Amino acid sequence: MNDMTAAMNIRLHILEKITNGFSPDSIIGRGEYGDVYKGVYNGEVIAVKLLHNDPQQVLDDTQFNSEVGNLLRVEHPNIVRLRGYCYEAQYKYVEHNGEKVLCKHMYRVLCFEYLQGGSLDKHLNGTMELHFSMVIIFYA
Ligand SMILES: Nc1ncnc2c1ncn2[C@@H]1O[C@H](COP(=O)(O)OP(=O)(O)OP(=O)(O)O)[C@@H](O)[C@H]1O
């Protein structure tokens, strides 16, 4: 990871804060790959795209890094800018068949400059499989 991508890494707790915990009230749009929330980061309004959870199509670190890298390289006046990303695991206990089970929840988030009536069409193409996953890692 270079300095640029490191600087654009936005921690999950910050994204949760600026979207009121990914509250439905903060949703500004829904796409094929995830829901889009509105938030303010470093004084700028941004569009926060929380990628869907699909256990069948989980991106590994290399693939996600590669997609973020691609988005960083795109510089065009007609294409919305990536402001940051988040790739972070959260661990929590959930009820499963009457037992408490520790789950690893991977969050994959892309943050874009906010556009009035904006869309991520220009960024998410057929080659991207962007999801966040929930994987049971062991039983308590
Ligand atoms: N940068 C943005 N600024 C403002 N609103 C946005 C932005 N990006 C997405 N949105 C809103 O969220 C909605 C869903 O956007 P998104 O790009 O995720 O889905 P989409 O346009 O249907 O494309 P896809 O099929 O790739 O998911 C958009 O229609 C728009 O209303």
Side-chain angles (χ1 to χ4, degrees):
M1 186 178 286
N2 61 33
D3 289 348
M4 175 96 156
T5 49
M8 296 179 74
N9 184 12
I10 306 176
R11 296 297 308 273
L12 180 61
H13 69 91
I14 292 174
L15 294 177
E16 287 178 324
K17 190 173 172 192
I18 68 173
T19 60
N20 297 318
F22 297 111
S23 149
D25 291 344
S26 301
I27 291 179
I28 53 171
R30 289 200 154 96
E32 187 183 344
Y33 298 96
D35 293 340
V36 182
Y37 300 77
K38 190 174 177 180
V40 177
Y41 178 67
N42 282 347
E44 180 193 0
V45 179
I46 58 170
V48 178
K49 184 154 187 171
L50 176 62
L51 302 171
H52 285 314
N53 178 18
D54 184 346
Q56 303 299 316
Q57 295 176 296
V58 176
L59 281 192
D60 62 27
D61 290 4
T62 309
Q63 289 169 302
F64 187 79
N65 279 340
S66 152
E67 293 299 349
V68 169
N70 289 340
L71 287 166
L72 283 172
R73 277 189 287 278
V74 175
E75 273 199 43
H76 190 277
N78 294 337
I79 296 181
V80 65
R81 294 274 175 98
L82 185 70
R83 289 291 189 237
Y85 66 91
C86 173
Y87 184 63
E88 203 168 309
Q90 202 175 65
Y91 296 85
K92 50 178 126 177
Y93 281 97
V94 298
E95 197 81 20
H96 181 69
N97 290 340
E99 291 194 57
K100 294 282 187 196
V101 177
L102 186 63
C103 288
K104 178 185 180 186
H105 195 156
M106 278 309 302
Y107 284 84
R108 292 170 174 84
V109 190
L110 296 170
C111 300
F112 295 90
E113 67 180 311
Y114 177 79
L115 301 175
Q116 294 289 344
S119 169
L120 303 187
D121 275 344
K122 297 176 187 69
H123 297 277
L124 302 181
N125 60 42
T127 63
M128 293 184 74
E129 296 170 344
L130 299 168
H131 307 278
F132 66 97
S133 61
M134 176 172 275
V135 181
I136 295 173
I137 54 174
F138 63 84
Y139 289 87

